Amino acid sequence: MAVSSLNHKSHIVHIPILEYILEKNAYPKEHEQLKEIREITAEKYGEMSIMNVPVDEAQFLSMLLKIMNAKKTIEIGVFTGYSVLATALALPDDGQITAIDLDKEAYETGLPFIRKAGVEHKINFIQSNALSVLDDLINAGEETSFDFVFVDAEKEENMKYHEKVMKLVKVGGIIAYDNTLWYGSVAYKQGDERYKDVPKFAWPSKDYLIQFNDFIVSDHRVEPSLLSIGDGLTLCRRLY
């Protein structure tokens, strides 16, 4: 099975290597309902299905959550729910996910498969602007009560999200930012040969990602690691 442009966004890993990773490792272990969400999303949303996390990245995050013994998480940016379902499957039966997105219709595309997997009870979907929900959680006394936060939303808002989720995640907890290599564009200047491979819709957000990546490296409150998985995944462990 060739890797479709609809289910990957890596300009970092060469396609034959990515095909090997997916076909020999990720796809054989993909949960049936995750596969169903991936397929219905590609069918309904076409090129927009790229907004879901890649299969290998979801499996990495699932393992990380299990190693952490995470129980309480936040997800900012849900789309059709692939990563939310992957998280819900990784959490214990009493785990809790606060999932935030303005697009309820997209979430409801994946909801039947979340129900089929038997984990809907772990997910509190909130149709809202994420910043206001984060403020509500802080005001409700939820500071330092979350084990893990996954941010996959407007890249221009990452700095604002960071300041708020830093209050909500516990010391030693993890904040994960998706798409921090942004189709590889952060490493290229506009005249570079590889820059022509970057989708034009990605260009406007490039500078925001560069600024955010520079900020995270200088933020002494976290221990960061930028991974070349998917479209770039930055993990930040809160130090204090």
Side-chain angles (χ1 to χ4, degrees):
M1 181 195 319
V3 177
S4 165
S5 62
L6 300 185
N7 61 27
H8 83 92
K9 47 192 166 187
S10 178
H11 285 250
I12 306 147
V13 179
H14 291 305
I15 295 300
I17 298 172
L18 185 60
E19 287 180 348
Y20 182 87
I21 291 169
L22 294 175
E23 294 175 14
K24 299 297 185 181
N25 186 272
Y27 288 152
K29 293 292 186 179
E30 185 179 24
H31 190 280
E32 183 62 28
Q33 276 69 65
L34 285 170
K35 180 181 178 182
E36 289 174 331
I37 287 182
R38 177 166 59 85
E39 291 176 343
I40 194 67
T41 302
E43 179 183 325
K44 180 175 180 178
Y45 289 95
E47 291 184 357
M48 285 183 62
S49 66
I50 206 170
M51 290 169 61
N52 272 333
V53 300
V55 180
D56 54 336
E57 181 180 337
Q59 291 175 355
F60 168 77
L61 291 171
S62 174
M63 184 179 292
L64 177 65
L65 289 163
K66 292 171 184 174
I67 292 169
M68 293 172 61
N69 293 315
K71 289 184 64 175
K72 190 174 180 183
T73 75
I74 298 173
E75 180 145 342
I76 302 172
V78 176
F79 193 38
T80 58
Y82 191 95
S83 55
V84 165
L85 176 54
T87 298
L89 290 166
L91 298 186
D93 192 59
D94 60 346
Q96 303 172 42
I97 305 167
T98 300
I100 312 164
D101 203 304
L102 284 167
D103 189 351
K104 188 174 183 181
E105 179 184 346
Y107 174 66
E108 289 178 342
T109 299
L111 186 55
F113 308 105
I114 291 171
R115 288 174 175 156
K116 188 176 177 182
V119 293
E120 184 187 8
H121 65 284
K122 301 181 189 181
I123 302 167
N124 176 27
F125 178 81
I126 302 174
Q127 183 183 17
S128 176
N129 171 276
L131 292 170
S132 63
V133 174
L134 297 175
D135 282 335
D136 289 344
L137 291 171
I138 292 167
N139 293 333
E142 295 277 10
E143 292 190 6
T144 70
S145 69
F146 291 88
D147 302 300
F148 178 82
V149 180
F150 183 64
V151 182
D152 185 10
E154 301 87 349
K155 310 312 168 191
E156 296 84 351
E157 303 288 3
N158 272 1
M159 299 277 271
K160 294 178 182 177
Y161 294 143
H162 186 70
E163 292 308 318
K164 295 183 186 300
V165 299
M166 275 294 293
K167 297 179 181 178
L168 292 164
V169 74
K170 69 181 184 181
V171 173
I174 298 288
I175 307 165
Y177 293 96
D178 202 22
N179 309 119
T180 47
L181 292 177
W182 204 233
Y183 301 90
S185 67
V186 295
Y188 307 134
K189 293 184 169 31
Q190 195 154 352
D192 292 347
E193 181 68 17
R194 291 292 301 273
Y195 199 80
K196 68 181 182 182
D197 296 329
V198 177
K200 289 185 178 180
F201 69 80
W203 294 352
S205 297
K206 170 189 170 182
D207 289 342
Y208 290 104
L209 267 301
I210 291 173
Q211 292 168 15
F212 180 71
N213 291 340
D214 290 344
F215 168 77
I216 288 297
V217 170
S218 65
D219 186 352
H220 299 295
R221 300 170 297 175
V222 299
E223 178 184 1
S225 179
L226 201 171
L227 308 177
S228 56
I229 189 171
D231 192 30
L233 177 70
T234 297
L235 302 180
C236 299
R237 185 173 72 92
R238 181 178 171 184
L239 297 177
Y240 59 86

